[in-house]
Amino acid sequence: MTEDLRSRVAALWRMDAGGQTLALTSEGGLPSVIYWGARLPEAEDLAQLAASARHDLTGGMLDQLSPLTLTPESGRAFAGQPGLICAEADGTPLHALFRFDRAERQADSLTLISRAPGLTLTHRITAQATGVFTLQTVLEAARDIRVQWLAAPVLPAPQAADHMIDVHGRWVREFHLNHVAWTPGIRAREARTGRSGHEHPPYLILPETGCSNTQGAAFALHYAWSGGHRMLAEELPDGRRQVQFGAPLGAETAAGRRFETAELVAVYSDTGLNGIATAFQRDIRDRVVSWPNPARPRPVHYNCWEAIYFDHSLADLTQIADRAAALGAERFVLDDGWFGRRDDDTRSLGDWTVDRSKWPDGLQPLIAHVRSLGMTFGLWFEPEMVNPDSDLCRAHPDWVLGPLDQVTGRNQLVLDLGRAEVRDHLFDAVSAILSDHAIDYIKWDHNRLLPVVDTAQTHGAYDLFDRLRAAHPGVEIESCASGGGRIDAGILARTHRIWLSDCIDAEERLRMQHDAALFLPSCVTGSHVGAEHSHTTGRALPMAFRAWVAAQRHFGFEMDPRRISDADAAVLTEVTAWYKANRDWMMAGTILRLDSADPSVTAEMQLAADGGRFVVFAGQNAQSVQSLPRPLRLTGLDPAARYRITLRNAVDAPPQSRGPNALKAGPLTLTGRALMGQGILLPVAWPATMWVTEGERL
């Protein structure tokens, strides 16, 4: 029986990336995954593994189980959602039946090519050095066809899981985790706003039962595309589970002969959700982002938006620059309002020439002053958009994506970046500003949802980014889209920083940053100290809490620094200095979420790449139910090593903290085993307190 089963296996492949293995087979049809999980022993018998993956049959089923392939086919009586929905150019449905043709193997990649009459389907799998798999599907035709849906290579979801975790958000409340139970049928999420979106960012985590931040098994997927996506997590009637990712349904609006998905990034962890976070963070930082100067420390950032909005004057901005530099800023960013006749958000978007009524001598006097203070200069753009009240829209109404009488968003319309002449104009306009000024940074915004879903718009945006990057390789770019509306590996391949949210209320940011750390490294996640009274929530928070929350990520500030008290300025200066002293190892390290026994405490560790030092941030975001803090267990340490731990900010203890807490008095020396097994006891804290505990291996 065993030999008979083995003889049916036509081809077998194995890929390893970090601590995970992907094994596949083909018995003549499209290839399918027979194993995805923890790295297998080198001697694993793949033929036996394939045999072990074959299911039985029972009543009420067809006489043969249709395989869950990399692209489930509608023509093979597959009981679930197909991975390809296509038609002839005239709309006649196509139900192609593919046969495996050949494999092309290189050291770290596997290309599997299958054919049907007039069609070629290619699945590419790459084992990246960062420990992730990237997977992509390409469909080619000998004639024009129409594609309604094309999934990236389809992977099985774990059976030992009772729920999935996907991400939801809205403006000023991004990156909330949804825990959704697996049930028979489909969990479908579709982002049709033309960007990766606040609402449905393209991430999915599949934890096995019992998984926590620090232990257990989990699988995760990220679709690296900025133009919206469709996700299907399906449990078939027979119990098998599949996950599909691709562009939104119908986003390929034109007939063609070649269609391809974006890359699907796949990760397995046997060290809990932190294993997922570690792999995604490393992959974004070390593979996806292309740094202009990798050796440059991440500069302390100042952005003037919440200080002045559209009210620009050289006198005010030079004063603000003086104060920002005195507080420790190293980059000064001039936000919206410098161009056209831009006195508010109703006009001039698209007119990328300096507003001479505000800047009679141009931007050069401000830039020269900023640079004399030792800071570099950055500038805000929103190239993909246009106001109806703008010279550009009046001259080229045909460049607008969708009808001119559509509903506006933030008083603006979208330019059709699928048109080469639009991209050429935008490249020339933005490039001229960059060429004529000493600018090392762009804050690139995207404040309007798209009126139509079309992959051509995203491909056009990517082309514009790529051309500007090639022409100005020293310029760093931040991706902002009403805050966190466009955060994915597709945009980060062209940018260097993301604006997680327009909300810089530290209480909101504490939670957002904690959840986003499952996917994003510290070095790309911008976080700013805001005004005492938040401009988006109205909440008033102490400077120490605001500053330490921002120091968890790429640090900066965004308020009118002339209006802060001397006491607050002293705190901000101290935290800024701390960030500068620690940023190099933090930005190259890993964020590990801690399992806090107290739900009112949000805690994480940042661990250096060599494991020799760490910092624990424990944010008290509400009153605890119990009177005294619960122990906080650390993670990721060498159990046998000894660590000196020091509470960095004991001065923030409130009057009610009146006991003999050891960390208030001085350092402690404990083994990694003790720190991970029993944990540390922090002092009593008021809400809106961030405890900062530093650790060093002895």
Side-chain angles (χ1 to χ4, degrees):
M1 179 67 173
T2 300
E3 290 300 316
D4 178 62
L5 286 174
R6 291 182 64 173
S7 68
R8 292 165 50 191
V9 176
L12 294 160
W13 307 276
R14 170 183 174 153
M15 300 283 288
D16 297 303
Q20 60 180 333
T21 292
L22 193 64
L24 305 97
T25 188
S26 171
E27 297 183 11
L30 286 175
S32 59
V33 173
I34 54 173
Y35 178 87
W36 177 31
R39 188 165 184 147
L40 294 171
E42 295 300 323
E44 191 73 47
D45 187 326
L46 296 185
Q48 287 288 290
L49 188 66
S52 73
R54 293 198 180 93
H55 286 273
D56 200 356
L57 294 172
T58 189
M61 301 178 69
L62 297 178
D63 295 333
Q64 182 175 333
L65 187 66
S66 183
L68 175 54
T69 67
L70 295 177
T71 302
E73 296 166 279
S74 59
R76 293 195 189 272
F78 180 67
Q81 296 297 300
L84 171 63
I85 303 173
C86 61
E88 299 286 1
D90 64 2
T92 303
L94 271 171
H95 298 284
L97 298 178
F98 287 90
R99 299 289 296 174
F100 175 69
D101 181 44
R102 70 184 191 277
E104 297 175 357
R105 187 70 187 257
Q106 296 181 337
D108 298 318
S109 66
L110 176 65
T111 301
L112 302 172
I113 301 168
S114 304
R115 299 187 186 279
L119 299 173
T120 300
L121 194 62
T122 301
H123 298 103
R124 296 173 179 160
I125 304 169
T126 303
Q128 301 290 352
T130 52
V132 306
F133 289 116
T134 55
L135 306 96
Q136 186 177 33
T137 304
V138 179
L139 176 65
E140 296 171 292
R143 62 203 183 273
D144 283 353
I145 63 170
R146 294 188 177 275
V147 169
Q148 181 78 354
W149 168 244
L150 179 64
V154 175
L155 296 175
Q159 294 285 312
D162 56 15
H163 75 283
M164 66 190 83
I165 303 172
D166 58 30
V167 184
H168 171 263
R170 65 166 174 84
W171 180 68
V172 303
R173 193 179 181 273
E174 289 88 339
F175 273 91
H176 277 255
L177 303 182
N178 293 321
H179 294 254
V180 182
W182 274 103
T183 60
I186 298 172
R187 165 72 167 169
R189 304 197 76 198
E190 191 161 18
R192 301 189 64 84
T193 63
R195 55 190 189 184
S196 32
H198 296 83
E199 307 80 8
H200 313 302
Y203 305 97
L204 178 67
I205 299 176
L206 304 164
E208 292 193 348
T209 302
C211 178
S212 69
N213 283 323
T214 57
Q215 62 186 358
F219 302 75
L221 299 167
H222 166 43
Y223 192 60
W225 178 247
S226 310
H229 72 284
R230 182 183 188 225
M231 181 207 83
L232 299 173
E234 182 178 24
E235 181 171 305
L236 278 64
D238 56 45
R240 291 178 295 170
R241 292 169 172 173
Q242 66 160 333
V243 178
Q244 298 185 10
F245 271 95
L249 207 64
E252 298 287 358
T253 58
R257 299 192 177 192
R258 179 184 170 87
F259 303 87
E260 63 179 39
T261 69
E263 286 186 340
L264 181 66
V265 186
V267 178
Y268 167 79
S269 163
D270 59 7
T271 55
L273 299 183
N274 281 337
I276 298 295
T278 297
F280 276 142
Q281 290 172 31
R282 182 185 299 127
D283 189 55
I284 291 291
R285 182 188 63 228
D286 298 341
R287 178 184 70 90
V288 173
V289 175
S290 175
W291 302 98
N293 181 0
R296 180 187 185 186
R298 303 300 286 142
V300 175
H301 203 93
Y302 176 75
N303 183 290
C304 69
W305 176 243
E306 290 197 0
I308 60 166
Y309 292 100
F310 296 100
D311 188 15
H312 289 201
S313 79
L314 179 60
D316 283 339
L317 284 161
T318 52
Q319 290 176 10
I320 289 171
D322 290 341
R323 187 65 170 144
L327 292 167
E330 298 165 308
R331 171 186 284 151
F332 184 97
V333 180
L334 182 64
D335 212 287
D336 193 357
W338 58 269
F339 54 91
R341 295 175 290 107
R342 185 74 164 174
D343 297 323
D344 54 40
D345 65 6
T346 67
R347 71 191 72 186
S348 290
L349 194 62
D351 299 340
W352 300 113
T353 55
V354 176
D355 182 352
R356 293 291 174 169
S357 66
K358 295 178 182 177
W359 301 99
D361 298 314
L363 298 177
Q364 301 291 6
L366 177 62
I367 295 174
H369 185 74
V370 164
R371 290 172 64 84
S372 75
L373 296 169
M375 295 187 290
T376 62
F377 186 80
L379 195 60
W380 182 94
F381 287 91
E382 192 172 2
E384 298 160 80
M385 307 290 164
V386 67
N387 286 130
D389 182 6
S390 67
D391 293 340
L392 180 62
C393 193
R394 283 184 286 272
H396 297 284
D398 54 315
W399 286 4
V400 170
L401 184 67
L404 280 173
D405 61 353
Q406 67 186 270
V407 175
T408 56
R410 203 191 182 221
N411 303 296
Q412 61 197 52
L413 302 169
V414 183
L415 292 169
D416 185 353
L417 268 66
R419 300 177 61 159
E421 65 270 31
V422 176
R423 299 194 301 272
D424 289 344
H425 169 82
L426 293 174
F427 172 81
D428 291 342
V430 176
S431 187
I433 295 291
L434 298 179
S435 297
D436 292 344
H437 300 83
I439 294 169
D440 82 330
Y441 186 84
I442 293 174
K443 180 181 177 182
W444 186 305
D445 221 333
H446 186 290
N447 283 306
R448 166 58 154 93
L449 308 181
L450 268 61
V452 298
V453 177
D454 190 340
T455 60
Q457 183 72 11
T458 304
H459 287 302
Y462 284 173
D463 177 71
L464 181 58
F465 276 104
D466 293 344
R467 290 174 64 186
L468 286 166
R469 285 283 308 278
H472 305 278
V475 174
E476 222 177 90
I477 303 177
E478 174 182 270
S479 173
C480 178
S482 305
R486 187 160 65 177
I487 299 175
D488 59 84
I491 202 67
L492 278 165
R494 294 157 174 88
T495 58
H496 313 91
R497 190 181 200 249
I498 57 91
W499 189 228
L500 190 63
S501 176
D502 282 342
C503 181
I504 51 178
D505 177 316
E507 190 168 310
E508 294 291 332
R509 275 290 183 130
L510 177 67
R511 198 273 320 147
M512 274 190 268
Q513 291 175 178
H514 187 68
D515 289 341
L518 288 169
F519 314 103
L520 300 171
S522 180
C523 56
V524 305
T525 307
S527 190
H528 294 174
V529 183
E532 180 180 6
H533 289 269
S534 168
H535 289 207
T536 53
T537 68
R539 187 185 285 126
L541 295 168
M543 173 58 81
F545 186 63
R546 286 179 278 145
W548 284 120
V549 169
Q552 290 181 283
R553 301 296 185 265
H554 182 199
F555 179 72
F557 22 100
E558 185 171 341
M559 84 295 274
D560 191 335
R562 300 170 299 179
R563 299 180 184 277
I564 64 175
S565 68
D566 290 344
D568 280 356
V571 172
L572 182 54
T573 301
E574 180 184 355
V575 175
T576 302
W578 181 91
Y579 170 80
K580 289 179 178 179
N582 290 275
R583 60 184 164 189
D584 286 348
W585 72 262
M586 286 173 59
M587 298 297 108
T590 302
I591 306 165
L592 302 174
R593 291 161 32 117
L594 298 179
D595 291 318
S596 174
D598 185 343
S600 67
V601 174
T602 300
E604 70 180 32
M605 278 179 64
Q606 296 199 24
L607 183 65
D610 64 0
R613 62 193 304 181
F614 62 84
V615 59
V616 176
F617 294 99
Q620 185 83 30
N621 49 38
Q623 291 274 18
S624 297
V625 172
Q626 74 286 346
S627 298
L628 296 175
R630 299 191 189 278
L632 182 63
R633 290 181 174 182
L634 308 191
T635 191
L637 302 177
D638 179 350
R642 296 167 66 245
Y643 296 86
R644 179 186 291 113
I645 57 171
T646 306
L647 183 62
R648 178 68 176 75
N649 58 329
V651 68
D652 291 335
Q656 288 87 343
S657 175
R658 57 191 182 90
N661 177 268
L663 282 173
K664 286 195 301 183
L668 291 171
T669 299
L670 295 165
T671 65
R673 178 73 71 193
L675 291 168
M676 294 188 292
Q678 177 171 291
I680 59 175
L681 280 175
L682 293 165
V684 168
W686 279 343
T689 297
M690 175 73 85
W691 291 127
V692 182
T693 305
E694 297 176 282
E696 182 180 8
R697 185 171 56 201
L698 299 177

